[in-house]
């Protein structure tokens, strides 16, 4: 579905990403992990066609992503950014309705199928009863769910989520991850999600990509990515992946290392 070929991205000649090659197959749930500043957000923007690589290319369904018209791309790919800017004065419904933009007709009026998509997205994140509330009056978690509903209303085949659980309390983190997992399993939406919590990454994603200082250090199953050596190299921590019998797996962190080498 998605392929990056030797993607390099520079800002004022400074490399942010270097030689990143990867593929994402339809139906996958890919987790993107790595320390702050590794380039996760930048990589997701490039993969979503929201920014252009300095060198290399990104193909979506076999086509260079930059050649896909914005409207067609927005029907296929949605992106939930890390910092959802609070659009002052908009209602929750207005925010979610923005997800219908790539489907609107010439005059931009909402049609019956748009309203259906909006309502079903609001229902999926349990915000139907808050549709008329102002977005800036919501809690962080509710707001996050509103922006996820906007992405759902877009009815994408591929959904990018940039640290969607970052501002949520533990209960809402679990609920949100379950919602995303259901989207993937039940509706077949392909997911690429940046996430800091390594244990949740293991429990939620079918495959992991590990970024360190702009390079892809490893990709594959959690066993291949969360080795003590790679945890040291990427994050500067001592840790390991444990799979206790009859319990959910977790990444156990036991300390830091003095030098990061990744
Ligand atoms: P992550 O999401 O993994 O924390 P980012 O993709 O946000 O990492 O950033 C990767 C690196 O690129 C960081 O060192 C960051 O400072 C730098 N960077 C990101 N955006 C810009 C920008 N607009 N101008 C300069 N540097 C940037
Ligand atoms: Mg980021």
């Amino acid at each position: 579905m998605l392929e990056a070929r030797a993607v390099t991205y520079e800002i004022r000649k400074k490399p942010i990403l270097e030689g990143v090659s990867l593929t994402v197959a339809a139906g996958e749930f890919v987790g993107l992990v790595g320390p702050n500043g590794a380039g996760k957000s930048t990589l997701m923007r490039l993969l979503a066609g929201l920014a252009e690589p300095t060198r290399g290319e990104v193909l979506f369904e076999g086509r260079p992503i930059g050649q896909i018209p914005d409207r067609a791309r927005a029907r296929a790919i949605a992106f939930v950014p890390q910092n959802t800017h609070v659009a002052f004065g908009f209602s929750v419904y207005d925010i979610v309705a923005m997800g219908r933009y790539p489907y609107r007709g010439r005059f931009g009026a909402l049609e019956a199928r748009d309203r259906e998509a909006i309502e079903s997205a609001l229902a999926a994140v349990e915000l139907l009863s808050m549709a008329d509330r102002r977005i800036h009056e919501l809690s962080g978690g509710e707001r996050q769910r509103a922006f996820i509903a906007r992405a759902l209303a877009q009815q994408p085949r591929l959904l990018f989520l940039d640290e969607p659980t970052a501002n949520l309390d533990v209960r809402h983190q679990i609920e949100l991850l379950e919602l995303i997992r259901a989207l993937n399993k039940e509706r077949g939406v392909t997911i690429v999600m940046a996430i800091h919590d390594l244990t949740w990454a293991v429990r939620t994603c079918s495959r992991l990509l590990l970024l360190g200082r702009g390079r892809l250090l490893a990709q594959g199953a959690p066993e291949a990515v969360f080795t003590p050596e790679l945890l040291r190299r990427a994050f500067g921590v001592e840790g390991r992946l444990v799979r206790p019998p009859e319990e959910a797996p977790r990444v156990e962190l036991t300390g830091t290392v003095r030098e990061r080498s990744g």
Side-chain angles (χ1 to χ4, degrees):
M1 177 179 242
L2 188 66
E3 184 179 0
R5 290 184 181 161
V7 164
T8 291
Y9 186 72
E10 295 173 353
I11 296 178
R12 290 182 293 274
K13 307 272 181 192
K14 182 184 162 237
I16 307 291
L17 291 169
E18 278 186 275
V20 174
S21 294
L22 58 92
T23 59
V24 177
E28 273 197 297
F29 191 142
V30 175
L32 182 55
V33 291
N36 291 329
K40 301 179 297 296
S41 297
T42 306
L43 177 59
M44 293 213 294
R45 289 177 52 77
L46 293 172
L47 294 176
L50 301 175
E52 243 184 275
T54 311
R55 286 183 295 282
E57 60 177 352
V58 175
L59 304 175
F60 177 69
E61 295 177 342
R63 251 175 110 185
I65 200 162
Q67 289 176 18
I68 304 173
D70 287 352
R71 209 172 136 89
R73 198 193 59 229
R75 288 179 181 202
I77 304 175
F79 192 101
V80 180
Q82 190 169 357
N83 299 306
T84 45
H85 291 287
V86 185
F88 205 83
F90 283 106
S91 72
V92 173
Y93 194 96
D94 295 335
I95 295 286
V96 180
M98 290 172 191
R100 296 306 294 170
Y101 175 74
Y103 296 94
R104 301 253 191 112
R106 269 186 77 182
F107 301 104
L110 289 174
E111 293 170 14
R113 61 180 185 143
D114 297 314
R115 298 194 176 280
E116 278 166 32
I118 293 164
E119 274 158 35
S120 124
L122 284 165
V125 299
E126 290 175 11
L127 280 183
L128 260 183
S129 64
M130 295 195 187
D132 295 329
R133 296 266 300 273
R134 305 287 114 186
I135 189 83
H136 60 266
E137 292 167 359
L138 302 189
S139 75
E142 290 160 351
R143 198 180 301 147
Q144 186 73 336
R145 271 148 57 205
F147 281 91
I148 288 179
R150 180 178 71 174
L152 298 185
Q154 231 172 300
Q155 297 175 331
R157 300 196 284 285
L158 175 59
L159 174 60
F160 289 92
L161 297 141
D162 197 353
E163 293 181 31
T165 55
N167 301 312
L168 306 185
D169 63 51
V170 282
R171 181 197 164 87
H172 284 105
Q173 288 183 23
I174 295 177
E175 281 182 358
L176 186 73
L177 290 172
E178 276 170 2
L179 168 71
I180 300 166
R181 196 152 36 184
L183 273 175
N184 175 251
K185 283 242 148 43
E186 288 155 30
R187 298 200 211 169
V189 179
T190 306
I191 310 280
V192 178
M193 174 174 79
I195 183 165
H196 270 304
D197 189 305
L198 306 185
T199 287
W200 281 114
V202 170
R203 293 182 186 175
T204 329
C205 305
S206 54
R207 192 157 61 86
L208 299 174
L209 304 172
L210 176 61
L211 262 191
R213 299 186 188 176
R215 291 175 183 275
L216 197 57
L217 299 179
Q219 57 175 312
E223 279 70 13
V225 173
F226 292 151
T227 63
E229 147 71 19
L230 283 167
L231 287 170
R232 266 198 297 274
R233 193 167 155 212
F235 297 99
V237 295
E238 296 292 348
R240 64 194 185 111
L241 172 64
V242 286
R243 288 192 183 274
E246 299 177 40
E247 267 178 57
R250 63 177 186 272
V251 176
E252 218 167 64
L253 302 173
T254 52
T256 58
V257 288
R258 223 165 270 141
E259 293 283 312
R260 256 211 302 157
S261 56

